[in-house]
Amino acid sequence: MRHHNSVLHGLLKHIPWPVFDNLVDEHRADARVRRLSTKSQFVALLYAQLAGAASLREIETAMQSHSDKLYHLGASEVSRSTLADANRQRSHEVFSGLFSHMAGMAGRGFRRSTAEAVRLIDSTSIKLSGLSGDWSRYYGDIHGAKAHIVYDPDADAPLYLSVTANRVNDIVAAKVMPIEPGATYVFDLGYYDFGWWARLDQAGCRIVTRLKANTPLQVVETRTLPAASELLYDRVGFLPERLTTTRKNPFQDPVREIGVLTETGKPLRILTNDLDAPANQIADLYKRRWAIELFFRWVKQTLKIKHFVGRSENAVRIQIAVALIAYLLLRLAKDAVKIAGGPLAFARLIRANIMHRRRLDQLLTPPPTSLRDPRQLCLNLAQA
């Protein structure tokens, strides 16, 4: 009978293993390791994300149950204690580095010119157990972490990940994010910092964000809106010259404010440093922020970043990075096999077949007779 690899094996073909091996060597992740290689750790954690395993014991049992298929994955069985130690001790930078490389791979087929690139910036809070320790303490007995993401809505893929404690402000994390010169950055009030805006402006980036209600704008021009426009106004002006009596505002270039009325009747002050684009185009760019909210919702509902198999900061960082790698794998695999249906349906299909010996492009077709349970064949013959 012809050999068929498992669905997980088919997904792992999209992993750039030479890059992974270089990261393992760079961070000495396998130094003095005798029982569980970093690759086996990664395969076990990735299995947990794709199969929905919620505990170390469940991962251990699954790996033992499918031990005959692990050889072809280049992995081995894991014990929960050894996996817990690896999650606590091995550098999370191996997994975050792999994510960064794969994020570039995922967006390559959707790459546009720099001037057309849109980058959405936001963060999502993740609740953690009180046993996670002081690093995650937010307020009183409340513990949590934040995943800070730069997201490409055209590629439907995250491009950058940073994990911090929940108490870290969004703008603090944003200031260490890489800036892509010439791109359009869309973000909300969590990134309200004129100095950071000035850095983006100096890099030739287009900014689309909101103005707070109490921030005055020195208007120098009011523009006429097109007939039947749903916008409230379009005007050009300058932000306050000083932040305080002793601090000058570093963002002195003219900006543009566009008034938008939401479906609930709430007026929004949309700000941009693009003085030339049509006002409705700027308003539509701000509306694209909804795409990153949908991404956060999908990841939280489909993958495992609500329940953590480790409590340490390192373990939490690893699990979030592996969750986003799983998301990218699902995207890459779905694009490669051209299976109809949405991303959620494909993720469910993968979960149902994760360790079955099936080809990815044939998951919606019945398996050949030779791959079916022999007992079922005997039953069918008896009935005939």
Side-chain angles (χ1 to χ4, degrees), residues 331-352:
R331 283 296 319 277
L332 290 168
K334 187 177 187 304
D335 292 341
V337 300
K338 309 297 183 185
I339 286 184
L344 181 58
F346 184 71
R348 289 170 175 166
L349 191 61
I350 292 294
R351 177 169 296 182

Side-chain angles (χ1 to χ4, degrees), residues 45 49 87-88 90-97 99 126 128 135 145-148 160-165 168 305 308 310-325:
L45 293 174
Q49 291 291 338
N87 290 341
R88 183 176 63 255
R90 293 193 192 161
S91 174
H92 65 87
E93 294 182 7
V94 173
F95 306 93
S96 57
F99 162 76
I126 302 165
L128 298 176
W135 78 270
K146 272 186 184 179
H148 305 267
Y160 171 86
L161 166 68
S162 173
V163 179
T164 69
V168 175
I305 62 170
F308 287 83
R311 299 166 182 168
S312 68
E313 180 178 2
N314 195 69
V316 169
R317 289 176 179 273
I318 288 176
Q319 187 165 332
I320 294 174
V322 173
L324 294 188
I325 290 171

